[in-house]
Amino acid sequence: MQFLLAFAVAVPLLGAVAALLPAPPGLKGRNPDQAVLRHGVTVTGAVLAAAIALALGFDHDAPSRFQATTDISWIPALDIRIHLGIDGISLPLLLMTALLFFLCAVYSYFKLPEGPSPKAFVSLLLVLESGTLATFAVLDLLLFFLAFEMVLIPMYFLIARWGGAQRQAAAWKFILYTLLGSVVMLLGLLLIGLNSGTFDMVALASDNGRGLSHTTQILAVLAIGLGLAVKTPMWPLHSWLPDAHTAAPTVGSVLLAGVMLKMGTYGFVRILLPITPEGMHTFAPYLGAFAAVGIVYGSLACLALARKGNKGDLKRLIAYSSVGHMGFVLLGIASLTPTGVNGALFANIAHGLITGLLFFLVGALKDRYGSSDLDTLAGVTGAALYGRAPRLGALLAFAAVASLGLPGLAGFWGEMLALFGAFDPAEGLSRPAFLTYMAVGAFGTLLTAAYLLVVVRRVCMGDPKAGPEVSLADVQHYEFAAWTPLVALTVLAGLWPATLLGLTDPAVQKLLAGGNA
């Protein structure tokens, strides 16, 4: 188990170096470009196998205990250690990350985005995977920061070199926003480490803020929370996200929404809740207010983009929907209750699966029609996917109803539990305020249903014979391979939520109790 976790984190980095080296004579094949793409599939597949083995070997009777741990001294003078481990909170995120990278590698093998060398593309993809997996596995504050920052450069180049229109501006906006937020976050992490005498996240969580003054906790939450809020992203720090998603290649959008946004909310749960409980208690009402506004703002922005004549880009619309969905995650965290935090963690996984599928589908639509502009796709009679490409239309409708929170699918449970957490927040928080946030969030679910149903009607319905003749390929074999696991897991998580909640709940209970439960 210890070896498997270290393997999963380190192998993508080694694979990234290997991708840039000349291929051995026996592995070059007839097409060197396909050989390096096959290398990407192999490495991400090995990491996914290691993650599945970790899940199978995980002691499900003790999900609150860190398992598969590695603890090696790295920089003794600063007491920085290479400390890795997983519990019921991080294991689902680790599995989802490994799965999404593997599916993106498979998809890219058959549909590589236009851009420079495939070697560089595969190498950047693997560096990105190593950084995201490390973020969910490390248990040292400074290592967490290094892993958190490690993903920025690969994603910048994936957008800037393999993206679409306005890719340079979007890439610069992405990296400037996230870097500025990270600088402030580093100050907060140093403040905690220097005042408590350790950067070890397990020891700090067990101490539960007792070694930090109230003022120190307030400053730490303000600094770290700002950096995490940019990555989440929380309204009003979200403006980099729609541009980045619109310009990014398909796999870049899938990974940005499915994995990278989770790094911000994971930091709230792993660092701020257990280490600075007093500071979080002070800021929880404000976090809840920003979350509630973000839910409605994201939905209203999507409604505006979905209206006829507004030239709304489907990728941009789904990006704004992420602002609303992550608002539910933040609302659950702000409640400071086991119900709310479990809902936030469930919504994290559900959003990664469903929005990853949505970006895959929109990328496929753009490849077929040459545009993801909603007015172009709708045209005179609509893209009429039900008639022209029924499987693609059915998948788009499925992803849309999953995203709007249809009971029985994964999107329902996280949002419902987050609202329940706001209905009865932690002791000391203003219940009238959180009831207001709950009502605003519930209204946001109605707006979400409205814009997603408008999108389905405009893109999927229409008379395929009335408009110009369009030769439209239905779902291809490689698309079926990349999308089926996401559909299956969305249904599985929706029908058997206890599979995930059984992992997260004991770990959340212990985390909120300061390591004593």
Side-chain angles (χ1 to χ4, degrees):
M1 289 283 287
Q2 182 183 19
F3 167 76
L4 284 172
L5 184 58
F7 176 89
V9 172
V11 159
L13 209 53
L14 298 174
V17 175
L20 296 175
L21 299 175
L27 297 178
K28 283 184 178 179
R30 295 182 179 179
N31 187 336
D33 288 349
Q34 290 300 105
V36 75
L37 292 171
R38 189 163 55 247
H39 169 78
V41 174
T42 303
V43 174
T44 55
V47 172
L48 177 59
I52 293 172
L54 272 171
L56 294 175
F58 189 80
D59 184 359
H60 291 261
D61 293 328
S64 61
R65 176 172 58 86
F66 283 105
Q67 302 177 36
T69 55
T70 299
D71 192 1
I72 304 169
S73 179
W74 184 32
I75 306 176
L78 298 176
D79 193 29
I80 300 175
R81 310 182 67 79
I82 299 176
H83 193 181
L84 306 176
I86 52 170
D87 64 353
I89 292 172
S90 51
L91 178 61
L93 289 165
L94 197 82
L95 276 168
M96 184 180 70
T97 298
L99 174 65
L100 284 175
F101 272 95
F102 175 67
L103 298 181
C104 285
V106 170
Y107 188 85
S108 300
Y109 180 81
F110 295 96
K111 193 69 178 178
L112 183 69
E114 292 184 9
S117 161
K119 281 189 172 186
F121 178 84
V122 171
S123 183
L124 289 169
L125 202 67
L126 293 175
V127 172
L128 187 63
E129 180 176 29
S130 182
T132 50
L133 289 171
T135 302
F136 300 132
V138 297
L139 298 173
D140 182 278
L141 286 179
L142 291 186
L143 276 185
F144 175 86
F145 176 77
L146 292 176
F148 199 83
E149 295 304 289
M150 183 177 168
V151 304
L152 299 185
I153 300 303
M155 183 53 74
Y156 166 82
F157 281 110
L158 285 175
I159 296 171
R161 303 302 299 274
W162 284 270
Q166 306 296 320
R167 59 181 183 268
Q168 290 290 346
W172 274 110
K173 197 171 185 179
F174 159 75
I175 201 163
L176 287 176
Y177 260 82
T178 48
L179 274 178
L180 287 172
S182 298
V183 169
V184 181
M185 185 177 76
L186 177 60
L187 296 176
L189 296 174
L190 291 173
L191 182 66
I192 289 175
L194 296 176
N195 276 275
S196 60
T198 181
F199 290 98
D200 187 84
M201 291 159 67
V202 178
L204 288 166
S206 298
D207 192 52
N208 200 220
R210 286 181 285 272
L212 301 171
S213 69
H214 183 72
T215 303
T216 300
Q217 291 193 38
I218 291 289
L219 292 173
V221 170
L222 192 60
I224 298 171
L226 187 64
L228 296 174
V230 171
K231 186 68 75 73
T232 297
M234 180 185 77
W235 177 90
L237 304 173
H238 67 283
S239 61
W240 62 269
L241 183 70
D243 291 339
H245 270 308
T246 305
T250 297
V251 294
S253 293
V254 170
L255 296 174
L256 188 58
V259 177
M260 288 186 64
L261 302 191
K262 312 302 172 284
M263 295 165 64
T265 51
Y266 175 77
F268 275 102
V269 174
R270 178 64 74 202
I271 297 174
L272 294 184
L273 283 181
I275 297 175
T276 57
E278 291 181 23
M280 277 299 290
H281 195 279
T282 300
F283 280 103
Y286 305 102
L287 181 62
F290 283 122
V293 173
I295 291 169
V296 174
Y297 172 85
S299 298
L300 290 175
C302 291
L303 269 176
L305 289 170
R307 287 181 60 188
K308 186 176 180 180
N310 282 2
K311 291 289 182 183
D313 190 286
L314 257 185
K315 291 184 74 175
R316 194 173 190 86
L317 184 146
I318 298 170
Y320 272 111
S321 79
S322 293
V323 176
H325 288 305
M326 299 315 286
F328 283 102
V329 176
L330 292 173
L331 181 60
I333 294 170
S335 73
L336 305 184
T337 62
T339 301
V341 176
N342 275 304
L345 294 171
F346 200 106
N348 252 348
I349 300 298
H351 179 264
L353 298 173
I354 297 166
T355 308
L357 178 60
L358 276 170
F359 275 117
F360 268 135
L361 292 166
V362 174
L365 270 177
K366 188 173 183 178
D367 290 337
R368 286 158 170 76
Y369 277 97
S371 172
S372 57
D373 178 82
L374 192 53
D375 285 341
T376 302
L377 289 173
V380 178
T381 63
L385 288 183
Y386 288 153
R388 291 175 176 153
R391 293 182 183 86
L392 188 59
L395 281 170
L396 182 62
F398 169 84
V401 296
S403 185
L404 64 83
L406 184 74
L409 298 176
F412 172 73
W413 295 105
E415 295 182 3
M416 185 192 71
L417 290 172
L419 293 175
F420 277 176
F423 177 76
D424 189 17
E427 186 178 350
L429 296 178
S430 170
R431 192 165 186 232
F434 274 84
L435 284 174
T436 303
Y437 304 154
M438 185 198 73
V440 172
F443 177 63
T445 63
L446 299 178
L447 296 176
T448 302
Y451 71 74
L452 284 169
L453 292 176
V454 168
V455 168
V456 170
R457 177 178 60 80
R458 297 191 68 198
V459 176
C460 294
M461 298 181 183
D463 184 359
K465 298 178 181 178
E469 197 67 32
V470 177
S471 178
L472 195 64
D474 211 337
V475 178
Q476 304 294 297
H477 65 282
Y478 67 92
E479 294 171 331
F480 184 80
W483 303 343
T484 300
L486 300 179
V487 173
L489 288 171
T490 299
V491 174
L492 179 67
L495 294 178
W496 290 281
T499 306
L500 183 55
L501 293 173
L503 280 174
T504 62
D505 186 53
V508 167
Q509 297 279 358
K510 180 179 178 180
L511 179 139
L512 291 176
N516 299 317

